């Protein structure tokens, strides 16, 4: 028999026992066997505990990584939804179209002049873009992914995998035309579609770049994928701040020294040199003008032609005339009292005042001028709509209540004068045609809506140009009708959409949806 002990622990025990028996030393053998047995058991138990502890620690680490990856994904959802809320027009397009849509548009938003000095449109936008409060995320940040903290990649990152526009039942994807149909079929404040977003959060403690962090094949990374739905809600047009000056296409340079005491709305700051007085805003938006209200039929006996046989008005007139009959009435509530305001409509070709002429509106009556040509006011000429006293009426400047000798009452409002520019620029016409041009202190008190017109005020003297609101294609340059004298050319006195009384269809177009809060949330498996 060999005297070399076996290598196996159990065989070693047998060998020692046999040796003890052969030497007839049972007591010593048994003691040795017991001691070695206990040692083997302790080694086995210790190994098991070490293995179990290691396995538990691995499981705990894995669970923690999964939880943190989900937290990263949830943070990504929050950022992505907030990004859409600030860029709501993108919410109507699939992710694959975001770059095209955002690349063809300019910055949008509201920029306030909170300084103590006049500021141009570009200055206000630039100042806001450089502030820490401005959202710096772009479409690429979501398409290509972004880290939670670019300086701490071990904090994780996320990537927007998909964004689709679904019908309100979440049954089918919507085409652009289907989306617009769905939008037109619901009322303001109702959901017309759903935005479906799928986003993946990633965590990799060893990542040294964004690519490594988002790598799906890295065994050290932990992933969490979330699908959410959010409602796209038809916006309330009146929720958009009412602009005192709205320019749709400033294709040439505007005056660069003129001041406006009004909120300015434009698609971009290009060619807009107007100076915004402190306390006013600039709104950059792709919203489009409302449609012009329908013009009354020429055969309507209450639709009156003004001026000479050509429809040109060159002499003073007070409207409405005593023989004119109202087209309709508008009920306006003011300080808890309802007033019935009579509305008169007129057609005119050109208005050309240059030498003391005035078109005056009787306070408390509303006059709509349907303009088919140009307006040229020089010197101190005005189209006047003010709260003054006159023959047959008094206007209380404190309450704006108008009392007539008949005992009837009405309400004076700046919006009681509406000028609707209906002429369209013909092919080949200069960009400054058609136009509404004020000079030498001339003023218009009311709402001027001339979608295809160029407007301007030059050398306004003691006047302030447009007082109320003016919406047009562009502001004229100094060479034709503009002013570079540093004077005020527009003062906003209308700030309420309802004050216009233009009807339910008079709403801006191309308004972005209101992106609602996440309505459904689902964690998904990762393929």
């Amino acid at each position: 028999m060999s005297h070399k002990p076996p290598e196996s622990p159990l065989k070693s025990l047998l060998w020692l026992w046999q040796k003890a028996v052969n030497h007839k030393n049972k007591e010593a053998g048994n003691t040795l066997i017991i001691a070695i047995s206990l040692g083997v058991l302790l080694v086995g138990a210790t190994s098991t505990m070490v293995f179990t502890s290691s396995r538990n620690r691995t499981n705990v680490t894995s669970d923690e990584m999964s939880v943190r990856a989900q937290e990263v994904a949830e943070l990504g959802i929050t950022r992505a939804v907030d990004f859409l809320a600030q860029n709501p027009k993108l919410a109507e397009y699939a992710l694959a179209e975001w770059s095209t849509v955002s690349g063809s548009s300019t910055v949008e938003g509201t920029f306030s002049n909170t300084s103590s000095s006049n500021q141009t449109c570009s200055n206000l936008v630039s100042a806001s873009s450089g502030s820490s409060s401005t959202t710096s995320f772009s479409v690429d940040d979501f398409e290509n992914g972004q880290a939670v903290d670019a300086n701490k990649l071990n904090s994780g990152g996320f990537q927007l995998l998909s964004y689709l526009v679904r019908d309100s039942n979440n049954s089918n994807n919507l085409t652009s035309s289907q989306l617009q149909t769905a939008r037109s079929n619901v009322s303001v404040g109702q959901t017309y579609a759903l935005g479906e977003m799928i986003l993946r959060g990633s965590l990799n403690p060893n990542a040294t770049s964004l690519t490594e962090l988002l790598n799906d094949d890295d065994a050290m990374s932990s992933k969490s994928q979330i699908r959410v739905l959010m409602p796209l809600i038809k916006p309330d047009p009146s929720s958009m701040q009412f602009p005192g000056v709205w320019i749709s296409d400033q294709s040439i340079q505007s005056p660069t020294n003129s001041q406006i005491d009004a909120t300015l709305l434009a698609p971009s700051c290009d060619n807009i040199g107007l100076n915004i007085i402190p306390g006013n805003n600039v709104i950059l938006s792709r919203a489009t003008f409302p449609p012009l209200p329908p013009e009354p039929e020429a055969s309507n006996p209450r639709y009156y032609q003004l001026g000479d046989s050509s429809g040109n008005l060159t002499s003073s007139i007070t409207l409405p005339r005593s023989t004119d009959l109202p087209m309709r009435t508008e009920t306006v509530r003011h300080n808890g009292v309802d007033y019935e305001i009579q509305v008169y409509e007129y057609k005119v070709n050109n208005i050309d005042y240059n030498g003391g002429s005035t078109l005056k509106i009787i306070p408390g009556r509303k006059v709509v001028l349907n303009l088919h040509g140009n307006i040229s006011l020089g010197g101190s000429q005005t189209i006047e709509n003010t709260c003054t006293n006159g023959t047959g009426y008094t206007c209380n400047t404190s309450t704006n209540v108008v009392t007539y000798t008949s005992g009837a009452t009405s309400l004076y409002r700046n919006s009681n004068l509406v000028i609707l520019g209906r002429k369209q620029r013909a092919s080949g016409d200069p960009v400054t045609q058609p136009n509404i041009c004020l000079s030498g202190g001339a003023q218009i008190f009311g709402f001027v809506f001339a979608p295809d017109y160029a407007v301007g005020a030059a050398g306004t003297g003691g006047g302030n140009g447009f007082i109320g609101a003016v919406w047009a294609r562009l502001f004229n340059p100094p060479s034709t009708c503009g002013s570079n004298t540093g004077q005020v050319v527009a003062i906003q006195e209308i700030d309420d959409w309802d004050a216009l009384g233009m009807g339910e269809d008079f709403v801006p177009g191309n308004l972005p949806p209101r992106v609602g809060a996440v309505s459904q949330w689902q964690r998904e498996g990762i393929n």
Side-chain angles (χ1 to χ4, degrees), residues 244-245 259-262 274 371 375-377 383 414 417 419 435-439 441-450 453-458 460 463-472 474-476 481-482 488-494:
V245 176
Q259 304 175 56
I260 61 171
D261 191 1
L274 297 169
L371 178 67
I375 294 178
S376 176
L377 303 183
I383 298 180
N414 180 278
L417 169 64
I419 299 177
N435 62 62
I436 297 175
C437 210
L438 315 181
S439 62
Q443 300 179 103
I444 294 178
F445 296 81
F447 176 53
V448 177
F449 179 39
Y453 281 60
V455 300
T460 55
N464 291 301
F466 298 92
I467 302 171
V470 54
W471 299 356
L474 61 81
F475 239 89
N476 270 350
C481 186
V488 175
V489 295
I491 295 178
Q492 181 169 351
E493 286 200 359
I494 304 172

Side-chain angles (χ1 to χ4, degrees), residues 315-348:
S315 59
S316 295
I317 189 171
T318 297
L319 299 175
R321 296 163 297 197
S322 60
T323 56
D324 294 342
L325 297 175
M327 182 77 72
R328 60 187 180 278
T329 60
E330 292 178 5
T331 301
V332 176
R333 192 167 185 81
H334 177 69
N335 291 337
V337 179
D338 288 336
Y339 296 92
E340 297 294 327
I341 298 181
Q342 297 177 356
V343 182
Y344 299 79
E345 294 223 22
Y346 301 89
K347 180 179 181 179
V348 64

Side-chain angles (χ1 to χ4, degrees), residues 59-368:
N59 290 340
V60 169
T61 301
S62 177
D63 290 343
E64 288 179 349
M65 290 274 286
S66 296
V67 170
R68 288 178 59 194
Q70 181 172 322
E71 291 173 346
V72 169
E74 291 171 351
L75 174 62
I77 290 292
T78 300
R79 286 189 183 178
V81 172
D82 183 61
F83 176 75
L84 282 183
Q86 296 186 54
N87 300 273
K89 196 61 187 175
L90 291 178
E92 291 189 323
Y93 296 86
L95 178 62
E97 300 176 85
W98 281 13
S99 293
T100 301
V101 174
S102 63
S104 61
S105 64
T106 59
V107 175
E108 293 192 51
T110 300
F111 308 88
S112 301
N113 184 3
T114 57
S115 72
S116 58
S117 60
N118 294 344
Q119 300 291 330
T120 64
C121 176
S122 297
N123 287 346
L124 288 180
V125 174
S126 297
S128 178
S129 299
S131 70
S132 59
S133 61
T134 302
T135 300
S136 59
F137 300 134
S138 67
V139 170
D140 288 344
D141 291 326
F142 293 95
E143 286 185 326
N144 301 330
Q146 62 176 280
V148 172
D149 184 341
N151 297 318
K152 297 179 181 178
L153 291 178
N154 59 1
S155 297
F158 52 84
Q159 184 176 12
L160 185 59
L161 303 180
S162 172
Y163 179 83
L164 297 171
V165 182
R166 309 273 290 170
D167 62 40
S168 57
N169 295 320
N170 194 27
S171 301
N172 299 291
N173 296 335
L174 292 178
T175 64
S176 177
S177 61
Q178 290 172 333
L179 180 67
Q180 297 310 315
T181 299
R183 179 172 176 151
S184 64
N185 288 338
V186 301
S187 301
V188 169
Q190 292 185 326
T191 296
Y192 62 94
L194 298 171
E196 180 193 71
M197 181 181 294
I198 301 176
L199 184 142
R200 180 177 295 175
S202 301
L203 198 68
N204 186 344
N206 297 329
T208 59
S209 67
L210 181 62
T211 301
E212 291 181 3
L213 179 59
L214 302 177
N215 186 2
D216 293 336
D217 299 326
D218 195 323
M220 293 300 296
S221 68
S222 183
K223 310 286 185 184
S224 180
Q225 189 163 300
I226 297 176
R227 178 194 301 265
V228 298
L229 293 175
M230 67 205 76
L232 304 186
I233 302 168
K234 187 171 184 175
D236 181 358
S238 63
S239 64
M240 184 175 78
Q241 184 179 1
F242 189 95
V245 176
W246 188 346
I247 299 172
S248 66
D249 182 17
Q250 189 68 43
S251 57
I252 56 177
Q253 181 66 45
S254 77
T256 57
N257 201 27
S258 298
Q259 304 175 56
I260 61 171
D261 191 1
T263 288
L264 168 68
L265 191 154
S268 74
C269 293
D270 294 348
N271 294 321
I272 298 179
L274 297 169
N275 285 268
I276 292 85
I277 291 175
N280 294 291
N281 296 331
V282 167
I283 302 173
L284 297 186
S285 171
R286 290 183 294 168
T288 57
F289 284 141
L292 277 166
E295 185 173 6
E297 295 290 338
S299 59
N300 190 320
R302 298 193 179 196
Y303 187 38
Y304 302 101
Q305 175 75 56
L306 297 178
D308 56 23
S309 58
S310 300
N312 297 322
L313 190 61
T314 58
S315 59
S316 295
I317 189 171
T318 297
L319 299 175
R321 296 163 297 197
S322 60
T323 56
D324 294 342
L325 297 175
M327 182 77 72
R328 60 187 180 278
T329 60
E330 292 178 5
T331 301
V332 176
R333 192 167 185 81
H334 177 69
N335 291 337
V337 179
D338 288 336
Y339 296 92
E340 297 294 327
I341 298 181
Q342 297 177 356
V343 182
Y344 299 79
E345 294 223 22
Y346 301 89
K347 180 179 181 179
V348 64
N349 188 18
N350 297 303
I351 300 177
D352 190 353
Y353 284 175
N354 196 2
S357 300
T358 297
L359 191 162
K360 180 177 176 60
I361 310 301
I362 294 177
R365 305 305 189 204
K366 182 171 183 176
V367 169
V368 179

Side-chain angles (χ1 to χ4, degrees), residues 369-392:
L369 297 178
N370 292 275
L371 178 67
H372 288 263
N374 298 332
I375 294 178
S376 176
L377 303 183
S380 59
Q381 321 319 307
T382 61
I383 298 180
E384 181 182 328
N385 169 39
T386 57
C387 186
T388 57
N389 298 327
T391 303

Side-chain angles (χ1 to χ4, degrees), residues 477-488:
S479 59
T480 54
C481 186
S483 171
N484 248 344
T485 62
Q487 292 181 285
V488 175

